Amino acid sequence: MPAFTLYGARGSTNTDRVRLTLAEGGFTDYELVLFNLYKGEQKSEENMKRHPWGKIPVITFPEGFTLYESRAICTYLARKYSFPLLPTDSDIEATALFDQAQSVEMQYFADPAGKIAFEKFVKKFMGLPPNEAAVSDALKSIESYFDVAERQLQHNDYMAGKDFTLADIYYIPLIQRLFACGYGDVILSRKAVGAWWDRCMNRPAIQKMVAADKEAMAAAMAARK
């Protein structure tokens, strides 16, 4: 029996945060159950029992412990299985900087990046036109955010300091989505941000997961033909 079950969806940036955390931790003893979001499978009665808002990801353990919200899941798993993705409890300054970096990602990056992903990526699969005004406003916020990040990353290798942490993982899925939507220049046009991105994406565990996802996507597309 696997240690736990991860309920998620293919192409879900929230699910991918958890998967990247597990990949970085070298942890494979779990079952991945994928929902079709476009069919509304996440709103099933069974999943509503796991997640009161009927969303993903969720993890459940055989003994009954259940947890939702991607960042909470990532932090819990890193602590439970001792993944080297969090500062040590004894280093309160590093922990404070991690908490700060995590808050910054949520407050200044995730919301506008998520809006762009929804308008330019999700709506495309729904057959709906994007709200270009919403995209323009969100892109301005993203540009402003990475102007600040550019200055900070000139002095730090990673978002929370000198070490790669969950704070860096949290960015990866939505930045990948920005690239998919044609906005990769937001990253690549900034020297320090681009170098940070290269350091993240050149990590073996991340490269392996990205390659596996590309193969899975190609196989799914081929099956539809």
Side-chain angles (χ1 to χ4, degrees):
M1 178 181 292
F4 62 87
T5 300
L6 168 61
Y7 296 89
R10 187 72 67 189
S12 159
T13 54
N14 292 329
T15 301
D16 284 347
R17 283 193 195 99
V18 180
R19 294 178 60 233
L20 284 164
T21 298
L22 291 164
E24 274 290 329
F27 193 93
T28 60
D29 184 25
Y30 68 98
E31 178 185 10
L32 177 61
V33 175
L34 296 173
F35 291 159
N36 186 321
L37 301 184
Y38 299 105
K39 292 182 178 179
E41 292 177 353
Q42 73 279 16
K43 300 294 185 181
S44 68
E45 181 179 348
E46 196 62 32
N47 196 54
M48 292 291 286
K49 295 177 182 177
R50 291 185 287 261
H51 194 308
W53 285 274
K55 295 184 177 183
I56 47 94
V58 181
I59 57 171
T60 62
F61 286 77
E63 64 272 21
F65 179 70
T66 300
L67 188 66
Y68 53 86
E69 293 302 310
S70 63
R71 293 171 185 80
I73 293 171
C74 293
T75 302
Y76 172 76
L77 293 174
R79 288 174 175 159
K80 182 176 179 66
Y81 298 112
S82 300
F83 300 158
L85 297 171
L86 291 168
T88 60
D89 291 338
S90 61
D91 192 337
I92 59 174
E93 283 77 20
T95 298
L97 289 174
F98 171 83
D99 291 341
Q100 175 180 267
Q102 181 174 238
S103 179
V104 164
E105 183 270 333
M106 292 179 65
Q107 294 293 326
Y108 305 113
F109 170 76
D111 181 65
K115 287 179 180 176
I116 292 172
F118 178 74
E119 295 294 337
K120 286 291 194 176
F121 191 87
V122 176
K123 277 190 173 181
K124 181 178 180 181
F125 287 92
M126 298 170 68
L128 298 173
N131 181 333
E132 295 293 352
V135 172
S136 179
D137 286 345
L139 189 58
K140 289 176 183 176
S141 295
I142 291 291
E143 293 275 8
S144 295
Y145 168 71
F146 279 115
D147 284 343
V148 176
E150 174 71 11
R151 294 193 292 271
Q152 293 182 323
L153 287 168
Q154 289 173 3
H155 307 287
N156 293 313
D157 286 342
Y158 295 102
M159 289 296 183
K162 62 183 178 63
D163 296 320
F164 180 85
T165 67
L166 289 179
D168 301 287
I169 284 178
Y170 295 159
Y171 284 88
I172 293 173
L174 276 173
I175 289 181
Q176 287 179 309
R177 194 57 47 85
L178 289 176
F179 273 92
C181 294
Y183 298 110
D185 191 57
V186 170
I187 304 299
L188 301 181
S189 65
R190 293 167 171 81
K191 185 176 179 180
V193 172
W196 161 78
W197 180 244
D198 285 343
R199 284 191 289 273
C200 291
M201 297 308 291
N202 285 329
R203 295 178 68 84
I206 292 175
Q207 285 189 329
K208 184 177 180 180
M209 184 180 136
V210 170
D213 282 354
K214 286 182 179 178
E215 290 182 8
M217 181 64 72
M221 295 296 290
R224 292 179 183 177
K225 295 180 179 179

